[in-house]
Amino acid sequence: MSVESVETEEIKTDICIVGAGPAGLVLALLLLKSGVKVAVVERARAHQREFRGEILQPGAMALLDQLGVLGGARARGAHEHTRFRLVEQERVLLDIDYRALPAPYDHLLSIPQAHVLDELLLHCEKFEGFRYLDGRRVGELVREGAKVTGVLADGPSGPCRVLAHCVVAADGRFSKVRRLAGIEAGRTEAFDLDVLWFKLTARESALESAHEPAHGEARENGRDKVRDVRVFRAEGSPVLVYDSWPDKIQIGWTLPHKGYAQVAAQGLEKVKEQLARAVPPYADLIRDQIGSLRDLTLLDVFSGRAERWADEGLVLIGDAAHTHSPIGAQGINLAIQDAVVLHPLLVASLRSGDASASYLSAFERRRSRDIAKVSRLQQIQSTAMLSHGAFATRVRPKLAQLLRHTPLYRRVLDRIAYGNRAIRIAQECFTDRRNR
């Protein structure tokens, strides 16, 4: 039975966004502030799905702050992390200290993604022209000839037909809209690894041990209270660890691509012991709290770039357009920046009545260089994490320490933290048409 064989609600709007992640909701809020009517179609209800991306870089924080969203999201709960560190046993191999950046964005922020999305939704719902269609899965694209003019979606609330000047695919790396449009994802196995994710419930003793100063470090004011995002190197499989709000520890164990089956075949106890050796501060928690292999979630890590980001009446943003490794925590940063760049283009497209592929492809042209730079930077970071030998363990830490006192260190840190600093919110597009 097709979506339209039962009574279908018809919704007419200016822009239809599929996907209520950071890219989709930031774009929705920007458009609403510009007097544009927006419908957001989201397959999940009330953010009930699990989100793994929790780290906000300073660039994302600054843009959310300008939108008036960051303060409310933080108030729901978050942890500041001031450093990113690569650790082998007790030796710090690489130390990226965000305190070298100017306040107030001189740290990383670990914040449940639902906190950010709930705050974005709260702001979007202040506008008359906003429709939020959650629990609806897109099943078809509506077309007039070659042009996409909307989507057909269905869910517990019934089917709907959303007609719009332009459809935006913000539905992630496995984008259904991209697939329906016949656009190839452009997947590449650039990183040759997967990540096994899980969370532990923290105990104070474990946290104190985890944040003890590494070998050769001094304590701050008698006790080190600084939170770090850490990568522990052990047996060739780095393990990412950071504190997750409110009392959880997020752990990501990197494995060779498609190597999980071999690991799982060794049995639960063997897996737990490998992890315990890799991250000694959390060994007891791992032994106590991992009761089944089902407690571990495998993330297939790959990079990709869709063969094109625009079609007639359709544009792709975020992971639907370009997919990246979790290395360096760039995902949310890129998604928010995509929305900021696309916003004025869509406002102009609506005003001119032009939603052609040639017009919308300007978004890809404007973002291509930035996305390429992030991909190259992630490759360098991946090499730093995975490389071994005398240079990696003895020479690189000394070079890194010297580098911290040079202008190059600040430029590299700035690139990781902010991406393209020239990206700015087009406030000149904003109007006062709101319903509070």
Side-chain angles (χ1 to χ4, degrees):
M1 181 180 293
S2 72
V3 170
E4 291 189 294
S5 64
V6 296
E7 187 173 346
T8 300
E9 180 185 9
E10 184 163 292
I11 299 164
K12 294 183 178 179
T13 190
D14 294 326
I15 304 295
C16 173
I17 299 171
V18 181
L25 288 183
V26 169
L27 179 60
L29 182 56
L30 289 165
L31 292 170
L32 290 163
K33 284 176 172 285
S34 305
V36 176
K37 293 186 293 183
V38 179
V40 174
V41 182
E42 166 58 41
R43 67 178 183 177
R45 279 189 176 274
H47 309 312
Q48 291 174 348
R49 62 193 172 97
E50 181 180 355
F51 301 98
R52 295 184 188 88
E54 292 188 347
I55 299 293
L56 292 185
Q57 292 279 358
M61 284 189 277
L63 292 172
L64 290 173
D65 213 3
Q66 290 175 44
L67 280 172
V69 170
L70 183 63
R74 286 192 62 144
R76 297 170 187 264
H79 290 311
E80 289 188 6
H81 295 72
T82 58
R83 299 177 296 201
F84 179 91
R85 327 193 84 189
L86 179 62
V87 179
E88 189 168 65
Q89 296 178 351
E90 294 186 352
R91 186 178 181 85
V92 177
L93 304 183
L94 186 64
D95 187 352
I96 300 174
D97 195 331
Y98 278 70
R99 290 170 295 187
L101 296 171
Y105 313 116
D106 54 351
H107 55 272
L108 295 162
L109 194 67
S110 167
I111 182 168
Q113 199 172 128
H115 289 189
V116 177
L117 300 182
D118 285 342
E119 190 67 18
L120 282 165
L121 260 181
L122 184 67
H123 284 256
C124 287
E125 288 168 348
K126 297 176 181 178
F127 294 83
E128 276 187 348
F130 181 60
R131 289 291 305 270
Y132 186 53
L133 305 166
D134 61 336
R136 312 281 187 108
R137 288 178 176 269
V138 171
E140 298 178 42
L141 297 180
V142 179
R143 293 181 181 271
E144 289 183 4
K147 184 179 185 296
V148 175
T149 57
V151 300
L152 291 171
D154 202 358
S157 301
C160 63
R161 186 172 189 257
V162 184
L163 302 178
H165 166 77
C166 179
V167 173
V168 179
D171 53 340
R173 61 187 188 143
F174 299 113
S175 170
K176 177 69 173 294
V177 174
R178 183 185 62 212
R179 188 164 69 252
L180 290 171
I183 299 174
E184 293 293 329
R187 172 176 173 141
T188 61
E189 308 293 348
F191 297 97
D192 199 30
L193 56 88
D194 295 329
V195 179
L196 204 62
W197 288 103
F198 61 96
K199 282 186 177 180
L200 304 170
T201 299
R203 291 196 293 259
E204 189 62 31
S205 59
L207 289 177
E208 288 179 358
S209 175
H211 296 293
E212 282 289 316
H215 179 69
E217 282 193 289
R219 291 177 178 268
E220 298 183 3
N221 300 321
R223 183 181 180 187
D224 187 11
K225 296 182 180 180
V226 175
R227 277 190 167 90
D228 304 326
V229 175
R230 294 193 177 196
V231 174
F232 292 83
R233 291 208 326 178
E235 301 179 6
S237 297
V239 184
L240 171 71
V241 181
Y242 63 84
D243 293 350
S244 175
W245 180 266
D247 61 349
K248 301 293 185 181
I249 302 163
Q250 177 73 68
I251 298 183
W253 182 25
T254 61
L255 298 170
H257 185 46
K258 297 184 179 180
Y260 176 63
Q262 181 177 353
V263 170
Q266 299 174 17
L268 177 63
E269 293 306 315
K270 181 69 172 179
V271 171
K272 289 166 65 171
E273 285 309 309
Q274 287 186 58
L275 282 167
R277 289 197 304 272
V279 282
Y282 307 100
D284 289 343
L285 296 183
I286 288 168
R287 294 184 180 111
D288 292 346
Q289 296 182 23
I290 299 178
S292 165
L293 290 176
R294 289 189 296 272
D295 294 333
L296 312 175
T297 302
L298 185 66
L299 175 65
D300 179 12
V301 176
F302 60 89
S303 63
R305 176 168 171 158
E307 61 178 348
R308 61 185 183 279
W309 297 2
D311 237 338
E312 300 294 322
L314 173 68
V315 63
L316 281 57
I317 65 170
D319 281 351
H322 47 83
T323 302
H324 302 267
S325 161
I327 292 171
Q330 293 295 318
I332 301 176
N333 217 35
L334 293 174
I336 292 172
Q337 288 179 343
D338 273 5
V340 169
V341 172
L342 182 59
H343 159 233
L345 180 67
L346 286 182
V347 171
S349 168
L350 188 61
R351 288 173 180 169
S352 67
D354 189 349
S356 64
S358 60
Y359 191 98
L360 297 174
S361 63
F363 169 65
E364 182 176 2
R365 292 193 296 272
R366 293 173 190 174
R367 283 295 275 159
S368 287
R369 182 174 296 182
D370 293 337
I371 298 308
K373 285 181 178 179
V374 169
S375 296
R376 288 195 295 271
L377 185 59
Q378 287 193 321
Q379 287 284 4
I380 293 170
Q381 290 173 300
S382 178
T383 300
M385 283 175 52
L386 298 172
S387 61
H388 287 269
F391 178 80
T393 57
R394 293 197 292 270
V395 179
R396 181 179 286 135
K398 296 176 182 178
L399 290 178
Q401 186 65 28
L402 292 173
L403 181 65
R404 290 184 62 177
H405 302 288
T406 70
L408 178 60
Y409 174 82
R410 178 60 181 271
R411 288 199 297 271
V412 171
L413 174 57
D414 197 80
R415 170 59 62 178
I416 294 171
Y418 282 93
N420 183 353
R421 270 189 179 268
I423 293 174
R424 51 173 289 276
I425 292 174
Q427 296 189 23
E428 65 274 10
C429 294
F430 291 172
T431 70
D432 292 323
R433 281 178 274 172
R434 295 186 295 178
N435 175 27
R436 293 186 176 277

